[in-house]
Every structure is written in C-alpha cells, then in structure tokens.
Amino acid sequence: VTAAGLLNHREDFPILARPIRGQRLSYLDNGATTQKPRSVIEAEARFYEQSNANIHRGVHWLSQHATELYDQARSTVRAFLNAARDEEIVFTRGTTESINLVAYSWGMDNLKAGDEILLTGLEHHSNIVPWQLVAQRTGAIIRVVPVLDNGELDQEAFQQLLNEKTRLLAVVHVSNALGTINPIAEMTRQAHAVGAKVLVDGAQSVPHGVVDVQALDADFYTFSAHKLYGPTGMGALYVRYDILDSMSPWMGGGDMITTVSFEKSNYAPVPQRFEAGTPNIAGAITMAAAIDYLMRIGMQRIADHEALLLDYATEALLAMPGIRIIGTAEHKAGIVSFLVDGIHPHDLGTILDMDGVAVRAGHHCAMPLMTRFGIPGTARASFALYNDYADIDALLGSLRKAQKLFGVG
Ligand code: PMP
C-alpha cells in the first residue's frame, strides 16, 4: 500500500511495462478485460509443462494429477464465492455461456406461456438475448425494471412488477456501463417472496469486491475469468445445489454421463452433468491461480483501492467544463462513464489512445440502457487493482488535449 492509501501491484503485470505508442500504458479498459499478473501467466505455463493430461478418464499418474488440480480449482472458486459445496460450481466459458446454460436448461424446463421473466434496464446483452430466445420458445413474457436518471434501478417499480407470475429475476450485480451496484440481497429477498428464482450476472462485481452467494441468497451467480485477472474462455456458474441437481443437461457428450446405450443414457451427477466433453482444464487451473493471487491481496482492499480511484476521477471530471458523467448512483464500483460535449466517444477513444490511455468507447453491449439515456454511447474508464493516480492524470491530461483539438470545453 502506498502513502496515498493505494495498492501498489503494477509490477506484477508484465504487459504494463510495455510502452504503447511510445507512452506509459494507462490501461483503463478493465471492464472489458483485465491484464494478467505474472503468477497467473506462469501457472498456465506450469500446467502445460508439468501437469497436462486429460481428466476423469486416465488411470495413469498424470491424468490423476490433472484431475486433482481441476477439482482443487473448483474448491477455490467455491471458497471465493462462499458457496456451500464444490458441486454447486459449474465451469463454463464465461458469463455468456453460463446465462445460456441456465436459460436453456432451467428456463426451458420451468417457463411456460404467460410466465414472466423480470430483467432490468441495466442488463448487458448477454443477460437479455438468451431470455428473449427462451421466451420465444416457451411463450414466457419479458418485463423490465426501469432505470432512474442517476443510473439506479427504480426499486418502487421493481416491487410493483413482481407478482405471482414472476418465475425469474435476472439482474446484473454491477452495471458494466455505469458502475451502479444493485442492492442484490434486498432484491433477492423480494423476488423470493413471490416465489421467483434469482440469477445474478456477476461479471463486473466479482473482480471488484467481496461476493458471498449465500449472504446474497442468489440461486444462480456467474462471472468470467478474463475480467478477474485470469484466462479468456473460462468462467464459472454457481447454482444452489437443489436447483442444479434438478436441472436437465444442456449439452450432451462425454464426461456428462454414467452409462450410454442407443436406447437411453444416464446422466452424471452435478456438476459433471453440465460439463460435457473435455473442459478447459488449463483455464480452470489458471483461473484458480488468479483467485489465489487476489485472495493474497484481499478483495476488500481491492474494493477500497478502486473506491479511491473512482472518487479521484469523479471529482476531477466534475471539475472540468463540458463533461457529463452518466451514472451517479450512490453505490458505484470503479467504473466511470462520461460524455465530452462536442466530441463523439469513438473520436475521444482514438485521441486518448495516442497518449497511451486505453478506455472503452461505445454502447458497452447495453444498447437499451444507452437508448434510455438518449445517447449513442459513452467513454468509459474502469479501474483495476494495478491502476494508480498517474493513470487517471494521464486520462485527464489527454481529455484536455482532446477538448483543445476540437475547440470545445
Ligand atoms: N455481463 C456483464 C455485466 C459484462 O460486463 C460482460 C462482459 N462485458 C458480460 C456479461 C459478458 O461476459 P463474457 O463476454 O465474458 O461472457
């Protein structure tokens, strides 16, 4: 921890030492994906150098060894989310695949014509489109909790929308576009009171603070490893055991059965039932290495660090002329979305890039939310444990340059 109260881990991340366009890299696109610490990169190499074999099917030593590492990775995720049992953790390719798994397995079995799926105006496309596909097939109806002007969900409208037909609330924990932290425990309590299940998209919450699926009382909770300092193509889905155990397979293949004949197959217990085929073994083990790295630092310290950065950036942006922050919720994670008068977010992103400042510009896969605010998109700076005030100063300096260049502000 530095004098300013910030964490100091930039040196753990080899890519941050690489100059971009001849400049120090200020990587502020962590909502899209995070960089990887050396320990994670080495864990992947070590797996392929020392432990690579297929799991669950070999009698030989290496296969058993790889299986043990894979099983340990599941325990690591369980502990990280404070789930009750290892069997509640399904390995997936990430948030998108997890939500599709729930939609096609739980959704197809449990939704019928007239049932209601409650989404919110803050959702990422990956928590909208799978439900539309399932609604088309089942006749279920999608309802949407509106968003207030400050980027918070309208809790009164939420309570009015809940009714005995609501089968599922599918809600993002932290908005990737605005940073809003939703009151999940309270929303879950209310949804459960009408008999609905609750799916939480944790893609942007798991990397930024402590998540306890039991305290939240979520039925489904998911995240992506690549936003958590881990590998791409990997993620996890938590499902409460009794629900997961009742769910039908989604994909068929090897490793998810106990017996197969041409007449009938019997399915493996969970979670194997949902992990057909050779899984991303290296991905699971490398994801666990990322979680180990984070547990050593502490998620609460990471949350505190990012809160300092968010305050610093927000104050500075508010003090600049011609800048409008979209999303001013009381509870926000380390994400700031903004518009600069007279400069399109894409042009802004391109100018910032010239100074080595990486931000996201666009609709952030949340088009309905952009429509709600009547904007095509925003520029978004999203923070990670390795960011510091110098990164934000670089952003601010580059923004001033952009305003000069465009003769605005
Ligand atoms: N939900 C949210 C809130 C996200 O930010 C993202 C990634 N931008 C996703 C879902 C989808 O995650 P992935 O692309 O890793 O499946």
Side-chain angles (χ1 to χ4, degrees):
V1 178
T2 64
L6 292 183
L7 294 168
N8 188 11
H9 288 278
R10 189 174 167 96
E11 283 172 8
D12 296 349
F13 293 79
I15 205 169
L16 298 179
R18 176 190 179 175
I20 298 293
R21 300 190 189 283
Q23 317 268 338
R24 175 188 188 271
L25 171 60
S26 292
Y27 186 81
L28 298 172
D29 193 17
N30 296 288
T33 199
T34 51
Q35 300 302 345
K36 321 305 171 195
R38 193 172 286 104
S39 66
V40 167
I41 297 166
E42 286 172 0
E44 185 174 71
R46 196 164 53 243
F47 170 75
Y48 284 119
E49 284 175 7
Q50 304 277 340
S51 311
N52 179 55
N54 210 330
I55 55 166
H56 291 156
R57 48 191 89 175
V59 291
H60 59 83
W61 189 90
L62 263 185
S63 173
Q64 288 168 18
H65 173 58
T67 304
E68 265 165 39
L69 294 176
Y70 186 75
D71 292 345
Q72 266 168 32
R74 202 183 303 277
S75 293
T76 300
V77 174
R78 180 202 54 73
F80 187 54
L81 297 181
N82 193 35
R85 310 170 54 159
D86 286 3
E87 294 89 338
E88 294 177 322
I89 306 298
V90 181
F91 287 138
T92 66
R93 281 197 299 131
T95 305
T96 302
E97 185 177 85
S98 299
I99 296 173
N100 278 276
L101 188 164
V102 177
Y104 283 97
S105 171
W106 182 88
M108 289 302 287
D109 280 350
N110 289 281
L111 295 170
K112 57 180 189 316
D115 284 350
E116 294 182 6
I117 304 167
L118 190 51
L119 306 180
T120 88
L122 289 173
E123 299 315 306
H124 186 279
H125 297 164
S126 66
N127 203 21
I128 301 174
V129 183
W131 301 114
Q132 290 174 331
L133 292 169
V134 166
Q136 280 160 18
R137 286 167 173 74
T138 59
I141 294 160
I142 290 175
R143 303 242 181 265
V144 184
V145 181
V147 177
L148 300 172
D149 287 344
N150 67 357
E152 290 177 1
L153 291 176
D154 183 339
Q155 293 296 329
E156 263 175 46
F158 167 59
Q159 284 166 31
Q160 280 159 13
L161 281 160
L162 280 175
N163 67 76
E164 71 287 354
K165 282 190 252 149
T166 314
R167 289 281 159 276
L168 179 76
L169 165 68
V171 57
V172 72
H173 195 164
V174 170
S175 158
N176 65 308
L178 307 184
T180 312
I181 303 176
N182 288 319
I184 296 298
E186 181 56 23
M187 292 179 78
T188 300
R189 198 181 61 71
Q190 292 174 0
H192 283 163
V194 298
K197 299 281 184 276
V198 179
L199 175 140
V200 183
D201 170 353
Q204 300 291 346
S205 47
V206 168
H208 299 295
V210 179
V211 169
D212 179 330
V213 290
Q214 294 188 78
L216 295 171
D217 203 19
D219 300 297
F220 308 94
Y221 198 104
T222 182
F223 68 90
S224 300
H226 72 96
K227 297 181 197 284
L228 189 71
Y229 309 92
T232 53
M234 189 65 214
L237 168 67
Y238 159 85
V239 186
R240 232 183 53 212
Y241 185 81
D242 56 324
I243 299 174
L244 187 64
D245 193 41
S246 75
M247 281 165 51
S248 319
W250 173 44
M251 285 197 259
D255 237 28
M256 53 75 73
I257 43 75
T258 50
T259 60
V260 175
S261 71
F262 282 108
E263 289 69 42
K264 182 177 171 17
S265 299
N266 290 305
Y267 307 124
V270 297
Q272 274 71 35
R273 193 187 303 160
F274 295 98
E275 294 179 5
T278 299
N280 186 352
I281 306 166
I285 292 164
T286 309
M287 173 166 72
I291 293 173
D292 287 341
Y293 173 80
L294 294 170
M295 300 283 255
R296 284 197 293 277
I297 297 172
M299 291 312 298
Q300 189 53 52
R301 284 173 69 188
I302 293 171
D304 295 344
H305 165 90
E306 292 176 6
L308 288 172
L309 295 177
L310 178 67
D311 284 349
Y312 183 78
T314 304
E315 262 178 49
L317 288 171
L318 286 173
M320 284 176 71
I323 297 208
R324 180 175 147 213
I325 293 179
I326 310 292
T328 50
E330 191 185 337
H331 299 290
K332 275 182 74 170
I335 291 170
V336 59
S337 236
F338 57 94
L339 291 168
V340 182
D341 288 347
I343 312 180
H344 191 280
H346 279 134
D347 293 333
L348 189 67
T350 307
I351 296 167
L352 296 180
D353 178 54
M354 303 300 281
D355 292 329
V357 178
V359 297
R360 183 77 151 197
H363 55 62
H364 315 297
C365 294
M367 281 186 183
L369 183 62
M370 298 299 116
T371 305
R372 154 71 181 82
F373 282 96
I375 54 179
T378 69
R380 178 190 71 184
S382 48
F383 309 123
L385 69 92
Y386 42 70
N387 289 124
D388 54 20
Y389 292 135
D391 293 329
I392 296 170
D393 289 340
L395 167 70
L396 298 168
S398 196
L399 279 175
R400 279 185 211 104
K401 255 169 71 180
Q403 287 183 318
K404 253 199 209 129
L405 200 70
F406 275 75
V408 295

